[in-house]
Amino acid sequence: MAKSVLLKFYLGTDSLTGKPLTTTRRGFKSRKEAQDARKQLQLELYSGTYKKQQYEMYQDIYNMWVEQYENSVEESTFVKLSVSLKITFYLLWVLIS
């Protein structure tokens, strides 16, 4: 299993609460790739073009998980867990609808 690099970045302080704001990015294949992403994030932050990613639906979260998880385990493990999660998400959707 290949190791991946994690990036945690300080965005500043929330003006309402005074608490620190941070973001986390995962899945970089090298430290250099993470540093390049940090520089891009800094550029966006200082230029005012940074927009924090927000997830509206369970499907968005599931898709993000699939991207990260699919290449980190064997195919059979991925298939078993993803089918189980699809069933779980469907049942939750039925219950709240």
Side-chain angles (χ1 to χ4, degrees):
M1 185 153 111
K3 288 187 176 185
S4 64
V5 178
L6 170 81
L7 169 68
K8 288 191 175 188
F9 189 75
Y10 174 75
L11 299 173
T13 306
D14 187 320
S15 59
L16 294 176
T17 64
K19 293 182 179 181
L21 297 172
T22 61
T23 188
T24 303
R25 306 288 167 93
R26 295 175 175 84
F28 300 107
K29 295 185 183 353
S30 68
R31 187 178 185 126
K32 171 85 169 105
E33 190 178 337
Q35 288 173 341
D36 290 344
R38 179 185 54 81
K39 288 177 186 175
Q40 179 64 34
L41 188 58
Q42 278 181 316
L43 181 63
E44 290 174 11
L45 187 63
Y46 295 135
S47 68
T49 59
Y50 174 75
K51 184 176 179 188
K52 187 165 181 156
Q53 194 173 22
Q54 295 184 358
Y55 301 100
E56 300 289 327
M57 309 273 300
Y58 287 116
Q59 186 66 39
D60 295 334
I61 296 169
Y62 175 79
N63 291 340
M64 184 181 71
W65 172 81
V66 166
E67 288 177 24
Q68 295 293 318
Y69 190 70
E70 187 173 19
N71 297 320
S72 66
V73 295
E74 291 185 16
E75 184 179 1
S76 61
T77 303
F78 172 74
V79 169
K80 288 176 195 173
L81 190 55
S82 62
V83 167
S84 175
L85 283 175
K86 281 182 183 178
I87 293 169
T88 302
F89 281 132
Y90 175 76
L91 291 174
L92 283 171
W93 181 75
V94 168
L95 288 173
I96 62 174
S97 295

Coordinates of all heavy atoms in Angstrom, one line a residue, residues 2-86:
A2 N 0.7 2.1 -0.9 CA 1.5 3.3 -1.1 C 1.1 4.4 0.0 O -0.1 4.5 0.3 CB 1.3 3.9 -2.5
K3 N 2.1 5.1 0.5 CA 1.8 6.1 1.4 C 1.4 7.4 0.7 O 1.8 7.6 -0.4 CB 3.1 6.4 2.3 CG 3.4 5.4 3.2 CD 4.6 5.8 4.1 CE 4.9 4.8 5.1 NZ 5.9 5.2 6.1
S4 N 0.6 8.2 1.3 CA 0.2 9.4 0.7 C 0.5 10.6 1.7 O 0.6 10.3 2.9 CB -1.3 9.5 0.3 OG -2.1 9.3 1.5
V5 N 0.6 11.8 1.2 CA 1.0 12.9 2.0 C -0.2 13.7 2.3 O -1.1 13.9 1.5 CB 2.0 13.8 1.3 CG1 2.4 15.0 2.1 CG2 3.3 13.0 0.9
L6 N -0.3 14.2 3.6 CA -1.4 15.0 4.1 C -1.0 16.4 4.2 O 0.1 16.7 4.7 CB -1.9 14.4 5.4 CG -2.8 15.2 6.3 CD1 -4.2 14.9 5.7 CD2 -2.8 14.8 7.7
L7 N -1.9 17.3 3.9 CA -1.6 18.8 4.0 C -2.6 19.4 4.9 O -3.8 19.3 4.6 CB -1.6 19.4 2.6 CG -1.6 20.9 2.5 CD1 -0.2 21.5 3.0 CD2 -1.9 21.4 1.1
K8 N -2.2 20.0 6.0 CA -3.1 20.8 6.8 C -2.6 22.3 6.7 O -1.4 22.6 6.7 CB -3.0 20.4 8.3 CG -3.7 19.1 8.5 CD -3.8 18.8 10.0 CE -4.6 17.5 10.2 NZ -4.9 17.3 11.6
F9 N -3.6 23.2 6.5 CA -3.2 24.5 6.2 C -4.1 25.5 7.0 O -5.3 25.3 7.1 CB -3.5 24.8 4.7 CG -2.9 26.1 4.2 CD1 -1.6 26.3 4.0 CD2 -3.8 27.2 4.0 CE1 -1.1 27.5 3.6 CE2 -3.3 28.4 3.5 CZ -1.9 28.6 3.4
Y10 N -3.4 26.5 7.6 CA -4.1 27.5 8.5 C -4.6 28.6 7.5 O -3.9 29.2 6.7 CB -3.1 28.0 9.5 CG -3.6 29.2 10.3 CD1 -4.5 29.0 11.3 CD2 -3.2 30.5 10.0 CE1 -5.0 30.1 12.0 CE2 -3.7 31.6 10.8 CZ -4.6 31.3 11.8 OH -5.0 32.4 12.5
L11 N -5.9 28.9 7.6 CA -6.6 29.8 6.7 C -6.7 31.2 7.4 O -7.1 32.2 6.7 CB -7.9 29.3 6.3 CG -7.9 28.1 5.5 CD1 -9.4 27.6 5.3 CD2 -7.2 28.2 4.2
G12 N -6.6 31.3 8.7 CA -6.8 32.5 9.4 C -7.7 32.3 10.6 O -7.9 31.2 11.0
T13 N -8.3 33.4 11.1 CA -9.2 33.3 12.2 C -10.6 33.7 11.8 O -10.8 34.7 11.1 CB -8.7 34.3 13.3 OG1 -7.3 34.0 13.6 CG2 -9.5 34.1 14.6
D14 N -11.6 33.0 12.3 CA -13.0 33.3 12.0 C -13.3 34.6 12.7 O -13.2 34.7 13.9 CB -13.9 32.2 12.5 CG -15.4 32.3 12.2 OD1 -15.8 33.5 12.2 OD2 -16.0 31.3 11.8
S15 N -13.8 35.6 12.0 CA -14.1 36.9 12.6 C -15.2 36.9 13.6 O -15.3 37.7 14.5 CB -14.4 37.9 11.5 OG -15.5 37.5 10.7
L16 N -16.2 35.9 13.4 CA -17.3 35.8 14.4 C -17.0 35.1 15.7 O -17.3 35.5 16.7 CB -18.5 35.1 13.7 CG -19.1 35.9 12.5 CD1 -20.2 35.0 11.9 CD2 -19.7 37.2 13.0
T17 N -16.2 34.0 15.5 CA -16.0 33.2 16.7 C -14.6 33.3 17.3 O -14.4 33.0 18.4 CB -16.2 31.7 16.4 OG1 -15.2 31.3 15.4 CG2 -17.6 31.4 15.9
G18 N -13.7 33.8 16.5 CA -12.3 34.0 17.0 C -11.5 32.7 16.9 O -10.4 32.6 17.3
K19 N -12.1 31.6 16.4 CA -11.5 30.3 16.3 C -10.7 30.2 15.0 O -11.0 30.8 14.0 CB -12.5 29.2 16.3 CG -13.3 29.1 17.6 CD -14.2 27.9 17.6 CE -15.0 27.8 18.9 NZ -15.9 26.7 18.9
P20 N -9.6 29.4 15.1 CA -8.8 29.3 13.9 C -9.5 28.5 12.8 O -10.2 27.5 13.1 CB -7.5 28.5 14.4 CG -7.9 28.0 15.7 CD -9.0 28.8 16.2
L21 N -9.3 28.9 11.6 CA -9.8 28.2 10.4 C -8.7 27.4 9.7 O -7.7 28.0 9.5 CB -10.5 29.1 9.4 CG -11.6 30.0 9.9 CD1 -12.0 31.0 8.9 CD2 -12.8 29.1 10.2
T22 N -9.0 26.1 9.5 CA -8.0 25.3 8.8 C -8.7 24.5 7.7 O -9.9 24.3 7.7 CB -7.3 24.3 9.8 OG1 -8.3 23.5 10.3 CG2 -6.5 25.0 10.9
T23 N -7.8 24.0 6.8 CA -8.3 23.0 5.8 C -7.3 21.9 5.7 O -6.2 22.0 6.0 CB -8.5 23.7 4.4 OG1 -9.1 22.8 3.5 CG2 -7.2 24.2 3.8
T24 N -7.8 20.7 5.3 CA -7.0 19.5 5.1 C -7.2 19.0 3.7 O -8.3 18.9 3.2 CB -7.4 18.5 6.2 OG1 -7.4 19.0 7.5 CG2 -6.5 17.2 6.1
R25 N -6.1 18.6 3.1 CA -6.0 18.0 1.8 C -5.3 16.7 1.9 O -4.2 16.7 2.5 CB -5.4 18.9 0.7 CG -6.0 20.3 0.7 CD -7.4 20.3 0.0 NE -8.1 21.5 0.2 CZ -8.1 22.5 -0.6 NH1 -7.4 22.5 -1.7 NH2 -8.8 23.6 -0.4
R26 N -5.7 15.7 1.3 CA -5.1 14.3 1.4 C -4.8 13.8 0.0 O -5.4 14.3 -1.0 CB -6.0 13.4 2.1 CG -6.3 13.7 3.5 CD -7.3 12.7 4.1 NE -7.6 12.9 5.5 CZ -8.4 13.8 6.0 NH1 -9.1 14.6 5.2 NH2 -8.5 13.9 7.3
G27 N -4.0 12.7 0.0 CA -3.9 11.9 -1.3 C -2.7 12.4 -2.2 O -2.6 11.9 -3.3
F28 N -1.8 13.2 -1.7 CA -0.7 13.6 -2.5 C 0.3 12.5 -2.5 O 0.5 11.8 -1.5 CB 0.0 14.9 -2.0 CG -1.0 16.1 -1.9 CD1 -1.5 16.5 -0.7 CD2 -1.4 16.7 -3.1 CE1 -2.3 17.6 -0.7 CE2 -2.2 17.8 -3.0 CZ -2.7 18.2 -1.8
K29 N 0.9 12.2 -3.7 CA 1.8 11.1 -3.8 C 3.2 11.5 -3.4 O 4.0 10.6 -3.1 CB 1.8 10.7 -5.3 CG 0.5 10.1 -5.8 CD 0.6 9.6 -7.1 CE -0.7 9.1 -7.7 NZ -1.8 8.9 -7.0
S30 N 3.5 12.8 -3.3 CA 4.8 13.2 -2.8 C 4.7 14.5 -2.0 O 3.7 15.2 -2.0 CB 5.8 13.4 -4.0 OG 5.3 14.6 -4.7
R31 N 5.8 14.7 -1.2 CA 5.9 15.9 -0.4 C 5.9 17.2 -1.4 O 5.3 18.2 -1.1 CB 7.1 15.9 0.4 CG 7.2 17.0 1.4 CD 8.4 16.8 2.3 NE 8.4 17.9 3.3 CZ 8.6 17.6 4.6 NH1 8.7 16.4 5.0 NH2 8.5 18.6 5.4
K32 N 6.6 17.1 -2.5 CA 6.6 18.2 -3.5 C 5.3 18.5 -4.0 O 4.9 19.7 -4.1 CB 7.6 17.7 -4.6 CG 7.6 18.7 -5.8 CD 8.5 19.8 -5.6 CE 8.7 20.6 -6.9 NZ 8.0 21.9 -6.9
E33 N 4.5 17.5 -4.3 CA 3.1 17.7 -4.8 C 2.2 18.4 -3.7 O 1.5 19.3 -4.1 CB 2.5 16.3 -5.1 CG 1.2 16.4 -5.9 CD 0.6 15.1 -6.2 OE1 1.4 14.1 -6.3 OE2 -0.6 15.0 -6.4
A34 N 2.4 18.1 -2.5 CA 1.7 18.7 -1.4 C 2.1 20.2 -1.2 O 1.3 21.1 -1.0 CB 1.9 17.9 -0.1
Q35 N 3.4 20.4 -1.4 CA 4.0 21.8 -1.2 C 3.4 22.6 -2.4 O 3.1 23.8 -2.2 CB 5.5 21.8 -1.2 CG 6.1 21.2 0.1 CD 7.6 21.0 0.0 OE1 8.2 21.0 -1.1 NE2 8.2 20.9 1.2
D36 N 3.4 22.1 -3.6 CA 2.8 22.8 -4.7 C 1.3 23.2 -4.5 O 0.9 24.3 -4.8 CB 3.0 22.0 -6.0 CG 4.4 21.9 -6.5 OD1 5.3 22.7 -6.0 OD2 4.7 21.0 -7.3
A37 N 0.6 22.2 -3.9 CA -0.8 22.5 -3.6 C -0.9 23.6 -2.5 O -1.8 24.4 -2.6 CB -1.5 21.2 -3.2
R38 N 0.0 23.5 -1.6 CA 0.0 24.6 -0.5 C 0.2 25.9 -1.1 O -0.5 26.9 -0.8 CB 1.0 24.3 0.6 CG 1.1 25.3 1.7 CD 2.2 25.1 2.7 NE 3.5 24.9 2.1 CZ 4.2 26.0 1.7 NH1 3.8 27.2 1.9 NH2 5.4 25.8 1.2
K39 N 1.2 26.0 -2.0 CA 1.5 27.3 -2.7 C 0.3 27.8 -3.5 O -0.1 29.0 -3.4 CB 2.7 27.2 -3.6 CG 4.0 27.0 -2.8 CD 5.1 26.8 -3.8 CE 6.4 26.5 -3.0 NZ 7.5 26.2 -3.9
Q40 N -0.4 26.9 -4.2 CA -1.6 27.3 -4.9 C -2.7 27.8 -4.0 O -3.4 28.7 -4.3 CB -2.1 26.1 -5.8 CG -3.3 26.4 -6.6 CD -3.1 27.4 -7.6 OE1 -2.0 27.6 -8.2 NE2 -4.1 28.2 -7.9
L41 N -2.9 27.1 -2.9 CA -3.9 27.4 -1.9 C -3.6 28.8 -1.3 O -4.5 29.6 -1.1 CB -3.9 26.4 -0.8 CG -5.0 26.5 0.2 CD1 -6.4 26.4 -0.4 CD2 -4.9 25.3 1.2
Q42 N -2.3 29.1 -1.0 CA -1.9 30.4 -0.5 C -2.2 31.5 -1.5 O -2.7 32.5 -1.1 CB -0.4 30.4 -0.2 CG 0.0 29.8 1.1 CD 1.5 29.9 1.4 OE1 2.2 29.6 0.5 NE2 1.8 30.3 2.6
L43 N -1.9 31.2 -2.8 CA -2.2 32.2 -3.8 C -3.7 32.5 -3.9 O -4.1 33.7 -4.0 CB -1.7 31.6 -5.1 CG -1.8 32.5 -6.4 CD1 -1.0 33.8 -6.2 CD2 -1.4 31.8 -7.6
E44 N -4.5 31.5 -3.9 CA -6.0 31.7 -3.9 C -6.4 32.4 -2.7 O -7.3 33.3 -2.8 CB -6.7 30.3 -4.0 CG -6.5 29.6 -5.3 CD -7.1 28.2 -5.3 OE1 -7.8 27.9 -4.3 OE2 -6.8 27.4 -6.2
L45 N -5.9 32.1 -1.5 CA -6.3 32.8 -0.3 C -6.0 34.3 -0.3 O -6.8 35.1 0.0 CB -5.6 32.1 0.9 CG -6.0 32.5 2.3 CD1 -7.5 32.2 2.5 CD2 -5.2 31.8 3.4
Y46 N -4.7 34.6 -0.7 CA -4.3 36.0 -0.7 C -4.9 36.8 -1.8 O -5.1 38.0 -1.7 CB -2.8 36.1 -0.7 CG -2.1 35.5 0.5 CD1 -1.0 34.7 0.4 CD2 -2.6 35.8 1.8 CE1 -0.4 34.1 1.6 CE2 -2.1 35.2 2.9 CZ -1.0 34.4 2.8 OH -0.4 33.9 3.9
S47 N -5.3 36.1 -2.9 CA -5.9 36.9 -4.0 C -7.4 37.0 -3.9 O -8.1 37.7 -4.6 CB -5.6 36.2 -5.4 OG -6.2 34.9 -5.4
G48 N -8.0 36.3 -2.9 CA -9.4 36.3 -2.6 C -10.2 35.4 -3.5 O -11.5 35.5 -3.5
T49 N -9.6 34.5 -4.2 CA -10.4 33.5 -5.0 C -10.6 32.2 -4.3 O -11.3 31.3 -4.9 CB -9.6 33.3 -6.3 OG1 -8.3 32.7 -6.1 CG2 -9.5 34.6 -7.1
Y50 N -10.1 32.0 -3.1 CA -10.3 30.7 -2.4 C -11.8 30.6 -2.0 O -12.4 31.5 -1.5 CB -9.4 30.7 -1.2 CG -9.7 29.4 -0.3 CD1 -9.3 28.2 -0.7 CD2 -10.4 29.5 0.9 CE1 -9.6 27.1 0.0 CE2 -10.7 28.4 1.6 CZ -10.3 27.2 1.2 OH -10.6 26.1 2.0
K51 N -12.4 29.5 -2.2 CA -13.7 29.2 -1.8 C -13.7 27.8 -1.2 O -13.3 26.8 -1.8 CB -14.7 29.2 -3.0 CG -16.1 29.0 -2.6 CD -17.0 29.1 -3.8 CE -18.5 28.8 -3.4 NZ -19.4 28.7 -4.5
K52 N -14.1 27.7 0.1 CA -14.1 26.5 0.8 C -15.2 25.5 0.2 O -16.3 25.9 -0.1 CB -14.5 26.7 2.3 CG -14.3 25.5 3.1 CD -14.3 25.8 4.6 CE -14.1 24.4 5.3 NZ -13.5 24.6 6.6
Q53 N -14.7 24.3 0.0 CA -15.6 23.3 -0.6 C -16.7 22.9 0.4 O -16.4 22.6 1.5 CB -14.7 22.1 -1.0 CG -15.4 21.1 -1.9 CD -14.4 20.0 -2.4 OE1 -13.4 19.8 -1.7 NE2 -14.7 19.4 -3.5
Q54 N -17.9 22.9 -0.1 CA -19.0 22.4 0.8 C -19.7 21.3 0.1 O -19.9 21.3 -1.1 CB -20.0 23.6 1.0 CG -19.4 24.7 1.8 CD -20.4 25.8 2.1 OE1 -21.5 25.8 1.7 NE2 -19.9 26.8 2.8
Y55 N -20.2 20.4 0.9 CA -20.9 19.2 0.4 C -22.3 19.3 0.7 O -22.7 19.4 1.8 CB -20.3 17.9 0.9 CG -18.8 17.8 0.6 CD1 -17.8 18.2 1.6 CD2 -18.4 17.4 -0.6 CE1 -16.5 18.1 1.2 CE2 -17.1 17.4 -1.0 CZ -16.1 17.7 0.0 OH -14.8 17.6 -0.3
E56 N -23.2 19.2 -0.3 CA -24.6 19.4 -0.2 C -25.3 18.1 0.0 O -26.3 18.1 0.7 CB -25.1 20.1 -1.5 CG -24.5 21.4 -1.8 CD -25.0 22.5 -0.8 OE1 -26.1 22.4 -0.4 OE2 -24.2 23.4 -0.6
M57 N -24.8 17.0 -0.5 CA -25.6 15.8 -0.5 C -24.7 14.6 0.0 O -23.5 14.7 -0.1 CB -26.1 15.5 -1.9 CG -26.8 16.6 -2.7 SD -28.5 16.6 -2.3 CE -29.1 15.1 -2.9
Y58 N -25.4 13.6 0.4 CA -24.6 12.4 0.8 C -23.9 11.8 -0.4 O -22.8 11.3 -0.2 CB -25.6 11.3 1.3 CG -26.2 11.5 2.7 CD1 -27.5 11.8 2.8 CD2 -25.3 11.6 3.8 CE1 -28.1 12.0 4.1 CE2 -25.9 11.8 5.0 CZ -27.2 12.0 5.2 OH -27.7 12.3 6.4
Q59 N -24.4 12.0 -1.6 CA -23.8 11.4 -2.8 C -22.4 12.1 -3.0 O -21.5 11.5 -3.4 CB -24.7 11.7 -4.0 CG -24.1 11.0 -5.3 CD -24.1 9.5 -5.2 OE1 -25.0 8.9 -4.7 NE2 -23.0 8.9 -5.7
D60 N -22.3 13.4 -2.7 CA -21.1 14.1 -2.8 C -20.0 13.6 -1.9 O -18.9 13.4 -2.3 CB -21.2 15.6 -2.5 CG -22.1 16.3 -3.5 OD1 -22.2 15.9 -4.7 OD2 -22.8 17.3 -3.1
I61 N -20.4 13.3 -0.7 CA -19.5 12.7 0.3 C -19.1 11.3 -0.1 O -17.9 11.0 0.0 CB -20.1 12.8 1.7 CG1 -20.3 14.2 2.1 CG2 -19.2 12.0 2.7 CD1 -21.1 14.4 3.4
Y62 N -20.0 10.5 -0.6 CA -19.7 9.2 -1.0 C -18.8 9.2 -2.2 O -17.8 8.5 -2.2 CB -21.0 8.5 -1.4 CG -20.8 7.1 -2.0 CD1 -20.5 6.0 -1.2 CD2 -20.8 6.9 -3.4 CE1 -20.3 4.8 -1.7 CE2 -20.6 5.7 -3.9 CZ -20.3 4.6 -3.1 OH -20.1 3.4 -3.6
N63 N -19.0 10.1 -3.2 CA -18.1 10.2 -4.3 C -16.7 10.6 -3.9 O -15.7 10.0 -4.5 CB -18.6 11.2 -5.3 CG -19.9 10.7 -6.0 OD1 -20.2 9.5 -6.0 ND2 -20.7 11.6 -6.6
M64 N -16.6 11.5 -3.0 CA -15.2 11.9 -2.5 C -14.5 10.7 -1.8 O -13.4 10.5 -2.0 CB -15.4 13.0 -1.5 CG -14.0 13.6 -1.0 SD -14.2 14.9 0.2 CE -14.8 14.0 1.6
W65 N -15.3 9.9 -1.0 CA -14.7 8.8 -0.4 C -14.3 7.7 -1.4 O -13.2 7.2 -1.2 CB -15.8 8.2 0.6 CG -15.3 6.8 1.1 CD1 -14.5 6.6 2.2 CD2 -15.7 5.5 0.7 NE1 -14.3 5.3 2.4 CE2 -15.0 4.6 1.5 CE3 -16.5 5.1 -0.4 CZ2 -15.2 3.2 1.3 CZ3 -16.6 3.7 -0.6 CH2 -16.0 2.8 0.2
V66 N -15.1 7.5 -2.4 CA -14.7 6.5 -3.4 C -13.4 6.9 -4.1 O -12.5 6.0 -4.3 CB -15.9 6.4 -4.5 CG1 -15.4 5.7 -5.7 CG2 -17.1 5.7 -3.9
E67 N -13.2 8.1 -4.4 CA -12.0 8.6 -5.1 C -10.8 8.2 -4.2 O -9.7 7.8 -4.7 CB -12.0 10.1 -5.3 CG -12.9 10.5 -6.4 CD -13.0 12.0 -6.6 OE1 -12.0 12.7 -6.2 OE2 -14.0 12.5 -7.1
Q68 N -10.9 8.5 -2.9 CA -9.7 8.2 -2.0 C -9.5 6.7 -1.7 O -8.4 6.2 -1.7 CB -10.0 9.0 -0.7 CG -9.9 10.5 -0.8 CD -8.6 11.0 -1.2 OE1 -7.6 10.5 -0.7 NE2 -8.6 11.9 -2.1
Y69 N -10.7 6.0 -1.5 CA -10.6 4.6 -1.0 C -10.3 3.6 -2.1 O -9.6 2.6 -1.8 CB -11.9 4.3 -0.3 CG -11.9 3.0 0.5 CD1 -11.2 2.9 1.6 CD2 -12.7 1.9 0.0 CE1 -11.2 1.7 2.4 CE2 -12.7 0.8 0.7 CZ -11.9 0.7 1.9 OH -11.9 -0.5 2.6
E70 N -10.8 3.9 -3.3 CA -10.7 2.9 -4.4 C -9.3 2.4 -4.6 O -9.1 1.2 -4.8 CB -11.3 3.5 -5.6 CG -11.5 2.5 -6.8 CD -12.2 3.1 -7.9 OE1 -12.3 4.3 -8.0 OE2 -12.7 2.3 -8.7
N71 N -8.3 3.2 -4.6 CA -7.0 2.8 -4.9 C -6.1 2.4 -3.7 O -5.0 2.1 -3.9 CB -6.3 4.0 -5.7 CG -6.9 4.2 -7.0 OD1 -7.4 3.3 -7.7 ND2 -7.1 5.5 -7.4
S72 N -6.8 2.5 -2.5 CA -6.0 2.2 -1.3 C -6.2 0.7 -0.8 O -5.5 0.3 0.1 CB -6.3 3.2 -0.2 OG -7.7 3.0 0.2
V73 N -7.2 0.0 -1.4 CA -7.4 -1.4 -1.0 C -7.6 -2.3 -2.2 O -7.7 -1.8 -3.3 CB -8.7 -1.5 -0.1 CG1 -8.6 -0.7 1.2 CG2 -9.9 -1.0 -0.9
E74 N -7.6 -3.6 -1.9 CA -7.8 -4.5 -3.0 C -9.2 -4.4 -3.6 O -10.2 -3.9 -2.9 CB -7.6 -6.0 -2.5 CG -6.1 -6.2 -2.2 CD -5.9 -7.7 -1.9 OE1 -6.8 -8.5 -2.2 OE2 -4.8 -8.0 -1.3
E75 N -9.4 -4.8 -4.8 CA -10.7 -4.6 -5.5 C -11.8 -5.2 -4.8 O -12.9 -4.7 -4.6 CB -10.6 -5.1 -6.9 CG -11.8 -4.8 -7.7 CD -11.7 -5.3 -9.2 OE1 -10.7 -5.9 -9.6 OE2 -12.7 -5.1 -9.9
S76 N -11.6 -6.5 -4.3 CA -12.7 -7.2 -3.6 C -13.2 -6.5 -2.4 O -14.4 -6.4 -2.1 CB -12.3 -8.6 -3.3 OG -11.2 -8.6 -2.4
T77 N -12.2 -5.9 -1.6 CA -12.6 -5.2 -0.4 C -13.4 -3.9 -0.8 O -14.4 -3.6 -0.1 CB -11.3 -4.8 0.4 OG1 -10.6 -5.9 0.7 CG2 -11.6 -4.0 1.6
F78 N -12.9 -3.2 -1.8 CA -13.6 -2.0 -2.2 C -15.0 -2.3 -2.7 O -16.0 -1.6 -2.3 CB -12.8 -1.3 -3.4 CG -13.6 -0.2 -4.0 CD1 -13.7 1.0 -3.3 CD2 -14.2 -0.3 -5.2 CE1 -14.4 2.0 -3.9 CE2 -14.9 0.7 -5.8 CZ -15.0 1.9 -5.1
V79 N -15.2 -3.4 -3.5 CA -16.5 -3.7 -4.0 C -17.5 -4.1 -2.8 O -18.6 -3.6 -2.7 CB -16.5 -4.9 -5.0 CG1 -17.9 -5.4 -5.3 CG2 -15.8 -4.5 -6.2
K80 N -17.0 -4.9 -1.9 CA -17.9 -5.3 -0.7 C -18.3 -4.1 0.1 O -19.5 -3.9 0.4 CB -17.1 -6.2 0.2 CG -16.9 -7.6 -0.3 CD -16.1 -8.4 0.6 CE -15.6 -9.7 -0.1 NZ -14.6 -10.4 0.8
L81 N -17.4 -3.2 0.4 CA -17.7 -2.0 1.3 C -18.5 -1.0 0.5 O -19.5 -0.4 1.1 CB -16.4 -1.4 1.8 CG -16.7 -0.3 2.9 CD1 -17.5 -0.9 4.0 CD2 -15.4 0.2 3.4
S82 N -18.2 -0.8 -0.8 CA -19.0 0.2 -1.5 C -20.5 -0.2 -1.7 O -21.4 0.6 -1.6 CB -18.4 0.6 -2.8 OG -18.3 -0.6 -3.7
V83 N -20.7 -1.5 -1.9 CA -22.1 -2.0 -2.1 C -22.8 -1.9 -0.7 O -23.9 -1.4 -0.7 CB -22.1 -3.5 -2.5 CG1 -23.4 -4.1 -2.4 CG2 -21.6 -3.6 -4.0
S84 N -22.1 -2.2 0.3 CA -22.7 -2.1 1.7 C -23.1 -0.6 2.0 O -24.2 -0.3 2.5 CB -21.7 -2.6 2.7 OG -22.2 -2.4 4.0
L85 N -22.2 0.3 1.6 CA -22.5 1.7 1.8 C -23.6 2.2 0.9 O -24.4 3.0 1.4 CB -21.2 2.6 1.6 CG -20.2 2.5 2.7 CD1 -19.0 3.3 2.3 CD2 -20.8 3.1 4.0
K86 N -23.7 1.8 -0.3 CA -24.8 2.2 -1.2 C -26.1 1.7 -0.6 O -27.1 2.5 -0.6 CB -24.6 1.6 -2.6 CG -23.6 2.3 -3.4 CD -23.6 1.6 -4.8 CE -22.5 2.3 -5.6 NZ -22.4 1.7 -6.9

